[in-house]
Each structure stands twice: as structure tokens, then as C-alpha cells.
Amino acid sequence: MSTLTTERLPTDISADLRGVKAWVFDLDNTLYPVENQFMGLVEKRINDYVVRTSGLPADEALVMQKSFLHNYGTSLAGLMTRYQIDPHHFLAEVHDVPLDVLEPDTALRLGLERLQGPRIIFTNGSSVHAHRVLGKLGIDDLFDGVFALEDADLIPKPDPRTFEKMLTRFGIDPATACFFEDTPQNLDPAKMLGMTTVLVGPKAFSAEDDFIDYRTAALAPFLTTAILDGDPA
């Protein structure tokens, strides 16, 4: 499939997703817009956890946290490497945030309903967090499964082993699957496995990586206009 961008295309041209049989979605900042700052609440709790665990001032703890994200994929993986922490306690604490800024999106629901085949959530967050968010967005009934960090034995994306475990769990053929994600480096192993890749959100048009098939600022309009199997010729 050719690389296209929904914001740079004429209105009569849409992403061609014919042949896709399974749909895999990252959760945070992908299913809802990053502008609502929901993940900022989670990140504040993560920073507080790093401060408490490391004993560092907040600004130094933030630098450490960012290095964990870069080197290990998640703050949790870095904390587990450097400190003796209970990962399940960490996941429960940092995801225990109010959901007030999240709200159902009719356009998103309509876009998801168009997709034929299983729809899967693939997140570096916890299972409880994923189900809370899906419920608040009013789309939990549209998904056939969630593959969370616990299911990955706490090995986060972009580790290829985690992708393979997710695909095996749900019996997905990567050659006929599409993966939607807001973090560019998480699309690299997906593309290597043969998945169609879509970068969602504000980074969509700044990343130059050739493992990105499609780019869109927001998920709902992309799904609403995509060309799917069974659409009129």
C-alpha cells in the first residue's frame, strides 16, 4: 500500500484499506485526542511515583522518567530495572485518575463500526485502565479483546516479542492487519511483521520514518473516509 496522508490529500481520495481483516489500536492518545490532556494526569502520577521511589527532586525525576521511556519503552520498565518495585501496584496507582475529560465521540464510533473483522486494543497501559477508558468513551462493546501490559509479561511495545505474543493470542495474520498508534517507534516492529501502519495524532506529519503507511491527525475522520472491503467501487 502506498504512503498517503489524510490531511494532504484531496477530499475525494481516502486511505485504501481493502484487504485488512483485523484492526489493532493503541489506546491512549490514539482513540481520543491528545489535546484533552488526559494522559497528562497519568504522567503526573508517574512522575510523583518516580520522585517517591528515587528520592530525586521533581525536575530530576522527570529527566530520569524520560530516559526510561527512551531506553526501556515505559517508565515502569525503567523503574523495575533500577529499583525494586511492585509493578502491579505501580500500574494501579498511576492509572487511578479521573476520566472527566474523556467523552463519547459519535464519529469515532461510526468509524469503528465500519470495520469488518476483529478490533483489538494493544496498549502499554494496564488492563483495568484500558477497560475504564473504553467504557468512558462508550466503545467498549466494539472491541473483541484487550492486550495490555500484563498480558505482555510487562514487556512493552515496541519489543517485537510483545507484538508476536499479541498476534498469536488473537490469531491475527499480520499481513492482513492494520495497526493504529500515536508513537512512531511502535510502528516499526509492526511494519517489519507485515502490518499496515497508521500514525495518529500531532506527530503524524513530523515523523519521516518509512515504516509509516498512513498518517492522520485524528482517528475518526480517517476511519470514516477509508476505503474498505465491500465499499462501492
mmCIF file of all heavy atoms in Angstrom, residues 7 9 80 104 109 141 168 183 185 202 210:
data_model
loop_
_atom_site.group_PDB
_atom_site.id
_atom_site.type_symbol
_atom_site.label_atom_id
_atom_site.label_comp_id
_atom_site.label_asym_id
_atom_site.label_seq_id
_atom_site.Cartn_x
_atom_site.Cartn_y
_atom_site.Cartn_z
ATOM 1 N N GLU A 7 -4.460 14.522 5.661
ATOM 2 C CA GLU A 7 -4.542 15.976 5.652
ATOM 3 C C GLU A 7 -3.981 16.564 4.360
ATOM 4 O O GLU A 7 -4.259 17.708 4.037
ATOM 5 C CB GLU A 7 -3.800 16.570 6.852
ATOM 6 C CG GLU A 7 -4.566 16.399 8.161
ATOM 7 C CD GLU A 7 -4.026 17.286 9.262
ATOM 8 O OE1 GLU A 7 -2.923 17.838 9.093
ATOM 9 O OE2 GLU A 7 -4.686 17.411 10.296
ATOM 10 N N LEU A 9 -4.280 15.104 1.296
ATOM 11 C CA LEU A 9 -4.938 14.539 0.116
ATOM 12 C C LEU A 9 -6.134 15.358 -0.310
ATOM 13 O O LEU A 9 -6.781 16.007 0.510
ATOM 14 C CB LEU A 9 -5.425 13.114 0.441
ATOM 15 C CG LEU A 9 -4.343 12.066 0.656
ATOM 16 C CD1 LEU A 9 -4.977 10.784 1.119
ATOM 17 C CD2 LEU A 9 -3.574 11.834 -0.624
ATOM 18 N N MET A 80 11.579 -0.861 37.145
ATOM 19 C CA MET A 80 11.824 -2.249 37.529
ATOM 20 C C MET A 80 13.296 -2.616 37.356
ATOM 21 O O MET A 80 13.810 -3.469 38.083
ATOM 22 C CB MET A 80 10.941 -3.181 36.699
ATOM 23 C CG MET A 80 9.466 -3.090 37.023
ATOM 24 S SD MET A 80 8.443 -4.125 35.939
ATOM 25 C CE MET A 80 9.076 -5.753 36.352
ATOM 26 N N PRO A 104 -17.715 10.326 24.932
ATOM 27 C CA PRO A 104 -18.007 9.581 23.703
ATOM 28 C C PRO A 104 -17.923 10.467 22.474
ATOM 29 O O PRO A 104 -18.233 11.659 22.522
ATOM 30 C CB PRO A 104 -19.443 9.081 23.933
ATOM 31 C CG PRO A 104 -19.593 9.046 25.421
ATOM 32 C CD PRO A 104 -18.797 10.211 25.928
ATOM 33 N N ARG A 109 -17.208 6.293 16.911
ATOM 34 C CA ARG A 109 -17.993 5.065 16.969
ATOM 35 C C ARG A 109 -18.446 4.635 15.571
ATOM 36 O O ARG A 109 -18.343 3.461 15.224
ATOM 37 C CB ARG A 109 -19.207 5.251 17.883
ATOM 38 C CG ARG A 109 -20.012 3.966 18.028
ATOM 39 C CD ARG A 109 -21.132 4.043 19.018
ATOM 40 N NE ARG A 109 -21.749 2.734 19.109
ATOM 41 C CZ ARG A 109 -21.384 1.781 19.931
ATOM 42 N NH1 ARG A 109 -20.396 1.982 20.794
ATOM 43 N NH2 ARG A 109 -21.972 0.597 19.924
ATOM 44 N N ASP A 141 -18.021 -2.008 23.762
ATOM 45 C CA ASP A 141 -18.747 -3.104 23.122
ATOM 46 C C ASP A 141 -18.262 -3.380 21.704
ATOM 47 O O ASP A 141 -18.599 -4.417 21.125
ATOM 48 C CB ASP A 141 -20.242 -2.789 23.080
ATOM 49 C CG ASP A 141 -20.546 -1.512 22.305
ATOM 50 O OD1 ASP A 141 -19.930 -0.471 22.610
ATOM 51 O OD2 ASP A 141 -21.408 -1.546 21.406
ATOM 52 N N THR A 168 -0.388 -13.770 18.206
ATOM 53 C CA THR A 168 -0.682 -15.171 18.488
ATOM 54 C C THR A 168 -1.916 -15.312 19.366
ATOM 55 O O THR A 168 -2.769 -16.181 19.130
ATOM 56 C CB THR A 168 0.521 -15.843 19.164
ATOM 57 O OG1 THR A 168 1.652 -15.781 18.285
ATOM 58 C CG2 THR A 168 0.224 -17.295 19.500
ATOM 59 N N THR A 183 2.648 6.678 18.723
ATOM 60 C CA THR A 183 4.091 6.722 18.958
ATOM 61 C C THR A 183 4.805 6.110 17.761
ATOM 62 O O THR A 183 4.673 4.912 17.508
ATOM 63 C CB THR A 183 4.458 5.956 20.240
ATOM 64 O OG1 THR A 183 3.731 6.515 21.347
ATOM 65 C CG2 THR A 183 5.945 6.046 20.526
ATOM 66 N N GLN A 185 7.835 5.059 16.927
ATOM 67 C CA GLN A 185 8.718 3.895 17.019
ATOM 68 C C GLN A 185 7.955 2.597 17.280
ATOM 69 O O GLN A 185 8.470 1.513 16.998
ATOM 70 C CB GLN A 185 9.786 4.093 18.098
ATOM 71 C CG GLN A 185 9.264 4.337 19.505
ATOM 72 C CD GLN A 185 9.194 5.796 19.851
ATOM 73 O OE1 GLN A 185 8.919 6.630 18.986
ATOM 74 N NE2 GLN A 185 9.470 6.130 21.104
ATOM 75 N N PRO A 202 -0.660 14.392 16.707
ATOM 76 C CA PRO A 202 0.140 15.561 16.318
ATOM 77 C C PRO A 202 1.509 15.240 15.735
ATOM 78 O O PRO A 202 2.099 16.077 15.056
ATOM 79 C CB PRO A 202 0.270 16.358 17.625
ATOM 80 C CG PRO A 202 0.005 15.377 18.714
ATOM 81 C CD PRO A 202 -0.979 14.406 18.148
ATOM 82 N N ASP A 210 9.989 5.562 7.166
ATOM 83 C CA ASP A 210 9.380 4.876 6.026
ATOM 84 C C ASP A 210 8.554 3.666 6.431
ATOM 85 O O ASP A 210 7.976 2.999 5.574
ATOM 86 C CB ASP A 210 10.450 4.472 5.006
ATOM 87 C CG ASP A 210 11.512 3.544 5.582
ATOM 88 O OD1 ASP A 210 11.373 3.108 6.752
ATOM 89 O OD2 ASP A 210 12.494 3.264 4.874
#
